[in-house]
DNA sequence: TGACCGATGAAT
DNA sequence: TTCATCGGTCAT
Protein backbone atom coordinates (compact mmCIF):
# COMPACT_ATOMS: atom_id res chain seq x y z
CA UNK A 1 0.00 0.00 0.00
CA UNK A 2 1.37 3.32 -1.01
CA UNK A 3 1.90 5.72 1.82
CA UNK A 4 0.09 8.99 1.48
CA UNK A 5 0.98 12.35 2.88
CA UNK A 6 -2.26 14.16 3.68
CA UNK A 7 -2.77 17.83 2.99
CA UNK A 8 -3.09 19.91 6.15
CA UNK A 9 -6.34 21.50 7.27
CA UNK A 10 -4.76 24.88 6.64
CA UNK A 11 -4.45 24.09 2.96
CA UNK A 12 -8.23 24.22 2.70
CA UNK A 13 -8.84 27.30 4.80
CA UNK A 14 -8.22 29.65 1.88
CA UNK A 15 -10.49 31.10 -0.77
CA UNK A 16 -11.92 28.77 -3.38
CA UNK A 17 -9.75 29.99 -6.23
CA UNK A 18 -6.52 29.43 -4.29
CA UNK A 19 -7.67 25.95 -3.27
CA UNK A 20 -8.82 25.11 -6.80
CA UNK A 21 -5.41 25.99 -8.22
CA UNK A 22 -3.60 24.33 -5.33
CA UNK A 23 -5.42 21.05 -5.79
CA UNK A 24 -4.06 20.50 -9.28
CA UNK A 25 -1.46 17.73 -9.11
CA UNK A 26 -2.69 16.43 -5.74
CA UNK A 27 -4.00 12.91 -5.25
CA UNK A 28 -7.65 12.17 -4.57
CA UNK A 29 -7.91 8.80 -2.85
CA UNK A 30 -10.93 6.67 -1.97
CA UNK A 31 -10.83 3.48 0.06
CA UNK A 32 -13.80 1.21 -0.49
CA UNK A 33 -14.88 -2.30 0.48
CA UNK A 34 -13.59 -3.58 -2.82
CA UNK A 35 -10.29 -1.74 -2.82
CA UNK A 36 -8.50 1.55 -3.21
CA UNK A 37 -8.64 3.91 -6.15
CA UNK A 38 -6.75 7.14 -6.62
CA UNK A 39 -6.09 9.76 -9.24
CA UNK A 40 -4.08 12.89 -9.74
CA UNK A 41 -6.28 15.99 -9.94
CA UNK A 42 -5.96 17.68 -13.35
CA UNK A 43 -9.11 19.82 -13.51
CA UNK A 44 -11.05 21.87 -10.95
CA UNK A 45 -13.58 24.67 -10.75
CA UNK A 46 -13.99 27.26 -8.00
CA UNK A 47 -17.41 28.22 -6.63
CA UNK A 48 -17.29 31.33 -4.55
CA UNK A 49 -20.35 31.27 -2.34
CA UNK A 50 -22.79 34.13 -1.91
CA UNK A 51 -21.12 36.38 -4.48
CA UNK A 52 -21.23 33.68 -7.17
CA UNK A 53 -24.54 33.17 -9.03
CA UNK A 54 -23.33 29.76 -10.23
CA UNK A 55 -22.78 28.42 -6.71
CA UNK A 56 -25.22 26.24 -4.82
CA UNK A 57 -24.49 28.60 -1.94
CA UNK A 58 -25.48 31.70 -3.92
CA UNK A 59 -28.38 32.50 -1.60
CA UNK A 60 -25.98 32.85 1.31
CA UNK A 61 -28.29 30.77 3.48
CA UNK A 62 -27.60 27.15 4.36
CA UNK A 63 -30.15 24.48 3.43
CA UNK A 64 -29.92 20.78 4.34
CA UNK A 65 -28.07 20.12 1.09
CA UNK A 66 -25.60 22.99 1.23
CA UNK A 67 -25.00 23.02 4.96
CA UNK A 68 -21.60 21.34 4.74
CA UNK A 69 -20.23 24.22 2.67
CA UNK A 70 -20.87 26.64 5.50
CA UNK A 71 -18.51 24.75 7.79
CA UNK A 72 -14.70 24.89 7.70
CA UNK A 73 -12.77 23.76 4.61
CA UNK A 74 -11.40 20.28 4.04
CA UNK A 75 -14.66 18.34 3.95
CA UNK A 76 -16.44 16.67 1.05
CA UNK A 77 -19.57 18.13 -0.52
CA UNK A 78 -21.15 15.41 -2.65
CA UNK A 79 -24.41 15.99 -4.46
CA UNK A 80 -26.65 14.11 -6.85
CA UNK A 81 -27.33 15.63 -10.25
CA UNK A 82 -29.51 14.95 -13.33
CA UNK A 83 -31.16 12.04 -11.62
CA UNK A 84 -28.11 9.83 -12.21
CA UNK A 85 -24.71 11.22 -11.30
CA UNK A 86 -22.76 12.37 -8.28
CA UNK A 87 -20.40 15.32 -8.18
CA UNK A 88 -17.53 15.64 -5.70
CA UNK A 89 -16.53 19.00 -4.26
CA UNK A 90 -13.93 20.11 -1.75
CA UNK A 91 -15.22 22.62 0.78
CA UNK A 92 -12.89 25.60 0.99
CA UNK A 93 -12.33 28.59 3.25
CA UNK A 94 -13.25 29.18 6.88
CA UNK A 95 -16.51 28.47 8.64
CA UNK A 96 -19.25 30.80 7.42
CA UNK A 97 -17.72 31.36 3.96
CA UNK A 98 -19.21 28.67 1.70
CA UNK A 99 -16.60 28.30 -1.00
CA UNK A 100 -16.24 24.99 -2.81
CA UNK A 101 -14.09 23.39 -5.49
CA UNK A 102 -15.65 20.98 -7.97
CA UNK A 103 -13.15 18.30 -8.97
CA UNK A 104 -13.85 17.69 -12.64
CA UNK A 105 -11.16 15.27 -13.77
CA UNK A 106 -8.38 12.96 -12.58
CA UNK A 107 -5.43 11.23 -14.15
CA UNK A 108 -5.92 7.63 -12.97
CA UNK A 109 -3.01 6.52 -10.75
CA UNK A 110 -4.00 3.57 -8.58
CA UNK A 111 -6.72 0.96 -8.79
CA UNK A 112 -7.04 1.14 -12.55
CA UNK A 113 -8.57 -2.29 -12.73
CA UNK A 114 -11.19 -1.39 -10.15
CA UNK A 115 -11.99 1.83 -11.97
CA UNK A 116 -12.41 0.01 -15.26
CA UNK A 117 -14.73 -2.47 -13.62
CA UNK A 118 -16.88 0.24 -12.11
CA UNK A 119 -16.97 2.35 -15.25
CA UNK A 120 -17.36 -0.42 -17.76
CA UNK A 121 -14.53 0.84 -19.94
CA UNK A 122 -10.86 0.11 -20.20
CA UNK A 123 -9.84 3.37 -21.78
CA UNK A 124 -7.65 5.25 -19.37
CA UNK A 125 -8.61 8.66 -20.74
CA UNK A 126 -12.26 7.86 -20.25
CA UNK A 127 -12.10 6.65 -16.66
CA UNK A 128 -12.13 9.92 -14.71
CA UNK A 129 -12.54 12.62 -17.36
CA UNK A 130 -15.63 14.29 -15.92
CA UNK A 131 -17.21 14.97 -12.52
CA UNK A 132 -19.75 12.17 -12.81
CA UNK A 133 -17.19 9.77 -14.23
CA UNK A 134 -14.62 10.20 -11.49
CA UNK A 135 -17.23 9.64 -8.81
CA UNK A 136 -18.18 6.43 -10.54
CA UNK A 137 -14.56 5.34 -10.90
CA UNK A 138 -13.62 6.05 -7.27
CA UNK A 139 -16.89 4.82 -5.83
CA UNK A 140 -17.87 8.20 -4.41
CA UNK A 141 -21.52 8.22 -3.37
CA UNK A 142 -23.95 10.20 -1.25
CA UNK A 143 -22.60 8.68 1.94
CA UNK A 144 -19.32 10.48 1.36
CA UNK A 145 -21.01 13.84 1.79
CA UNK A 146 -19.40 15.49 4.79
CA UNK A 147 -16.38 13.17 4.81
CA UNK A 148 -13.26 14.67 6.40
CA UNK A 149 -10.62 14.98 3.68
CA UNK A 150 -7.99 14.86 6.41
CA UNK A 151 -9.31 11.41 7.32
CA UNK A 152 -8.63 7.94 5.91
CA UNK A 153 -11.68 6.99 3.85
CA UNK A 154 -11.87 9.69 1.23
CA UNK A 155 -8.91 12.03 1.35
CA UNK A 156 -6.43 14.16 -0.57
CA UNK A 157 -2.66 13.70 -0.46
CA UNK A 158 0.46 15.25 -1.91
CA UNK A 159 1.15 14.27 -5.48
CA UNK A 160 3.54 14.91 -8.28
CA UNK A 161 3.73 18.69 -8.56
CA UNK A 162 2.89 20.63 -11.68
CA UNK A 163 5.26 22.89 -13.46
CA UNK A 164 4.38 26.44 -12.41
CA UNK A 165 3.52 27.46 -15.95
CA UNK A 166 1.30 24.51 -16.69
CA UNK A 167 -1.99 25.77 -15.25
CA UNK A 168 -4.52 27.26 -17.58
CA UNK A 169 -7.71 29.10 -16.56
CA UNK A 170 -10.94 29.29 -18.55
CA UNK A 171 -14.71 29.65 -18.03
CA UNK A 172 -16.59 27.01 -16.06
CA UNK A 173 -18.68 24.27 -17.65
CA UNK A 174 -22.46 24.05 -17.51
CA UNK A 175 -23.15 27.34 -15.77
CA UNK A 176 -24.67 29.37 -18.61
CA UNK A 177 -27.59 30.23 -16.37
CA UNK A 178 -25.29 32.33 -14.16
CA UNK A 179 -25.25 35.48 -16.27
CA UNK A 180 -21.93 37.24 -16.46
CA UNK A 181 -20.47 34.92 -13.83
CA UNK A 182 -20.60 32.21 -16.49
CA UNK A 183 -17.63 33.88 -18.12
CA UNK A 184 -15.41 34.12 -15.03
CA UNK A 185 -12.19 32.13 -15.59
CA UNK A 186 -12.64 29.92 -12.56
CA UNK A 187 -11.98 26.59 -14.22
CA UNK A 188 -8.40 25.43 -13.84
CA UNK A 189 -6.67 22.60 -15.63
CA UNK A 190 -3.30 21.16 -16.34
CA UNK A 191 -2.19 22.30 -19.76
CA UNK A 192 -2.00 19.52 -22.26
CA UNK A 193 -3.34 16.80 -19.98
CA UNK A 194 -5.18 14.11 -21.96
CA UNK A 195 -7.29 13.36 -18.89
CA UNK A 196 -9.39 16.55 -18.63
CA UNK A 197 -13.17 16.48 -19.19
CA UNK A 198 -12.99 18.54 -22.35
CA UNK A 199 -10.15 20.47 -23.88
CA UNK A 200 -10.23 24.22 -23.19
CA UNK A 201 -11.30 26.48 -26.01
CA UNK A 202 -7.89 28.08 -25.92
CA UNK A 203 -5.00 28.43 -23.53
C1' DT B 1 -46.98 18.34 -0.76
C1' DG B 2 -45.68 19.30 -5.41
C1' DA B 3 -43.65 22.19 -9.06
C1' DC B 4 -39.48 22.78 -10.92
C1' DC B 5 -34.91 21.64 -12.82
C1' DG B 6 -30.03 20.54 -13.01
C1' DA B 7 -21.76 22.24 -11.60
C1' DT B 8 -23.67 15.29 -16.86
C1' DG B 9 -22.69 11.82 -20.23
C1' DA B 10 -23.11 9.23 -24.23
C1' DA B 11 -24.87 8.72 -28.59
C1' DT B 12 -25.75 10.81 -33.12
C1' DT C 1 -26.46 18.65 -31.30
C1' DT C 2 -29.75 15.89 -28.97
C1' DC C 3 -31.78 13.53 -25.44
C1' DA C 4 -32.09 10.01 -21.75
C1' DT C 5 -33.36 10.13 -16.95
C1' DC C 6 -35.55 11.10 -12.25
C1' DG C 7 -34.54 12.00 -7.58
C1' DG C 8 -33.58 15.98 -5.00
C1' DT C 9 -34.44 20.42 -3.37
C1' DC C 10 -36.84 23.91 -1.42
C1' DA C 11 -40.56 26.94 -0.86
C1' DT C 12 -45.27 26.63 0.40
Amino acid sequence: MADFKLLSREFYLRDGIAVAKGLLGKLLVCRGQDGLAAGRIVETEAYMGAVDPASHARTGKPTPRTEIMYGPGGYAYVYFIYGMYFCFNVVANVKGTPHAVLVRALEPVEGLELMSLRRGTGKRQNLCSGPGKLCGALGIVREHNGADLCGNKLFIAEGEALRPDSVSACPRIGVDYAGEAAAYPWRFLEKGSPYVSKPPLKE
Side-chain angles (χ1 to χ4, degrees):
Chain A
M1 174 95 54
D3 102 278
F4 296 106
K5 186 185 179 196
L6 289 184
L7 303 188
S8 68
R9 177 72 55 195
E10 287 67 33
F11 174 90
Y12 300 103
L13 303 182
R14 299 177 292 156
D15 73 82
I17 291 174
V19 174
K21 289 180 186 168
L23 282 175
L24 293 176
K26 302 296 193 286
L27 287 176
L28 175 59
V29 189
C30 188
R31 290 186 209 277
Q33 293 284 337
D34 43 356
L36 180 148
R40 182 168 164 274
I41 298 172
V42 295
E43 179 181 348
T44 59
E45 285 180 359
Y47 287 84
M48 302 297 280
V51 302
D52 180 5
S55 171
H56 290 173
R58 55 183 170 269
T59 64
K61 301 205 171 212
T63 65
R65 176 175 66 148
T66 62
E67 189 177 22
I68 187 70
M69 281 195 279
Y70 288 81
Y75 293 83
Y77 168 46
V78 178
Y79 64 89
F80 191 59
I81 189 72
Y82 297 131
M84 36 183 145
Y85 302 109
F86 291 102
C87 287
F88 167 77
N89 294 251
V90 174
V91 175
N93 220 317
V94 297
K95 182 178 179 184
T97 306
H99 291 185
V101 176
L102 171 65
V103 176
R104 290 190 55 88
L106 307 174
E107 173 182 335
V109 171
E110 274 196 48
L112 281 277
E113 197 173 322
L114 184 54
M115 291 185 188
S116 299
L117 203 60
R118 288 167 169 164
R119 292 268 304 118
T121 175
K123 301 199 69 138
R124 192 166 183 175
Q125 297 95 318
N126 200 26
L127 251 25
C128 301
S129 52
K133 294 181 186 178
L134 72 88
C135 284
L138 296 206
I140 296 174
V141 292
R142 187 188 330 286
E143 284 68 35
H144 289 104
N145 188 50
D148 185 355
L149 299 177
C150 298
N152 59 15
K153 180 98 175 160
L154 176 63
F155 56 93
I156 301 178
E158 290 294 348
E160 187 189 330
L162 276 72
R163 292 181 23 228
D165 63 345
S166 59
V167 176
S168 73
C170 55
R172 295 173 290 181
I173 304 294
V175 297
D176 290 343
Y177 60 85
E180 76 178 35
Y184 297 167
W186 289 351
R187 175 188 183 215
F188 304 98
L189 30 74
E190 180 177 32
K191 271 183 201 172
S193 171
Y195 301 103
V196 299
S197 63
K198 48 179 75 167
L201 260 39
K202 58 179 184 179
E203 296 194 352

